[in-house]
Amino acid sequence: MPKSKQNKLQHLKKAAIERQLRERLELQRQHAEQMRYKAMRQQAEKEEEDEFRRQMLAKFAEDDRIEQMNAQKRRMKQLEHKRAVEQLIEDRRKQFSADREKELEERRLEEQMEAFRKQIIEEERQKLLREHAIRLLGYLPKGVIRDTGDLAMLGSDFQEQYKKRQIDPFDDEAWEAGAGSQSRK
């Protein structure tokens, strides 16, 4: 295999590995960011819950004028208020949980739609290649034929013609072979 093709293959492999590393680092960064956000959100919810509890207890205490009741009635009212506050907090927790679940479901749906969109684009790209690639051989911009799978999809005639056009400009033997094949036509 000529050195330039080996260099090109090595360069492509290196680029693919670098892309994978960048993607992995980005996923790790996003995960860490999500974890920080989750911790901040949980802390804020706890603080809000504590403040809500305090406010509700103060409100119930004011409403019932706990100071004026006898000790037994006061304890009973305090327990009743505490239960009411705990029920309100539990209701809020359930609502927050339901809201979060709804957000996650919406995000999953968006991801599915994006994957579906990419699949349709890829199918259309392949369809266009199958329909027009043979006529446009020699005019296709770099990157249109992505891999050997694209070449295989286009058939052996196209592969032969495509390989003939993939001449290394610095390889004298390739030019002579290409000229020889041109003079045979």
Side-chain angles (χ1 to χ4, degrees):
M1 182 178 285
K3 274 198 182 267
S4 63
K5 284 191 179 183
Q6 285 179 341
N7 288 342
K8 194 173 189 178
L9 275 174
Q10 288 174 346
H11 178 70
L12 289 174
K13 287 178 184 177
K14 184 178 178 183
I17 290 170
E18 287 175 356
R19 187 184 78 249
Q20 288 174 342
L21 285 173
R22 281 194 302 274
E23 289 172 356
R24 188 174 296 146
L25 288 173
E26 179 62 17
L27 286 173
Q28 288 173 348
R29 185 193 65 74
Q30 288 177 356
H31 178 70
E33 190 175 303
Q34 287 175 351
M35 295 306 288
R36 276 195 308 277
Y37 175 75
K38 181 179 179 182
M40 287 172 38
R41 189 180 69 220
Q42 287 174 340
Q43 179 63 30
E45 287 173 4
K46 184 183 181 316
E47 290 171 3
E48 186 178 329
E49 214 171 78
D50 291 343
E51 178 61 20
F52 182 76
R53 180 180 285 119
R54 188 192 62 72
Q55 288 176 356
M56 293 308 294
L57 286 172
K59 179 186 180 304
F60 288 141
E62 180 65 29
D63 289 348
D64 296 330
R65 296 190 183 112
I66 292 176
E67 301 83 46
Q68 296 174 2
M69 296 181 189
N70 66 31
Q72 179 64 26
K73 279 186 173 181
R74 190 174 325 137
R75 279 191 294 276
M76 294 300 287
K77 272 297 186 187
Q78 285 175 334
L79 282 175
E80 183 182 320
H81 291 166
K82 189 174 180 179
R83 277 189 228 110
V85 168
E86 292 302 322
Q87 183 60 47
L88 287 171
I89 288 172
E90 184 60 30
D91 292 347
R92 286 181 61 173
R93 281 183 187 154
K94 287 179 183 175
Q95 184 60 46
F96 282 144
S97 178
D99 290 346
R100 271 190 225 116
E101 190 59 39
K102 183 179 177 184
E103 286 176 22
L104 286 173
E105 185 58 35
E106 288 173 355
R107 195 172 305 137
R108 280 191 289 266
L109 183 61
E110 286 174 11
E111 289 170 358
Q112 287 175 345
M113 292 298 289
E114 181 62 18
F116 182 66
R117 185 183 73 79
K118 285 180 179 177
Q119 177 187 354
I120 289 174
I121 290 171
E122 180 60 21
E123 288 171 0
E124 285 300 313
R125 185 186 77 80
Q126 290 178 3
K127 177 182 169 189
L128 287 170
L129 277 176
R130 280 192 300 271
E131 291 176 1
H132 304 289
I134 195 73
R135 290 190 303 268
L136 297 175
L137 187 62
Y139 301 103
L140 293 173
K142 193 172 197 169
V144 171
I145 305 294
R146 293 184 182 164
D147 54 24
T148 55
D150 284 350
L151 283 174
M153 170 188 70
L154 294 170
S156 59
D157 289 343
F158 182 85
Q159 287 177 23
E160 259 183 53
Q161 293 298 320
Y162 183 78
K163 285 178 184 173
K164 284 180 186 176
R165 294 182 178 270
Q166 301 304 311
I167 295 175
D168 181 0
F170 300 107
D171 184 2
D172 292 333
E173 292 175 16
W175 282 100
E176 289 169 10
S181 67
Q182 293 290 333
S183 63
R184 279 187 239 133
K185 288 185 178 178

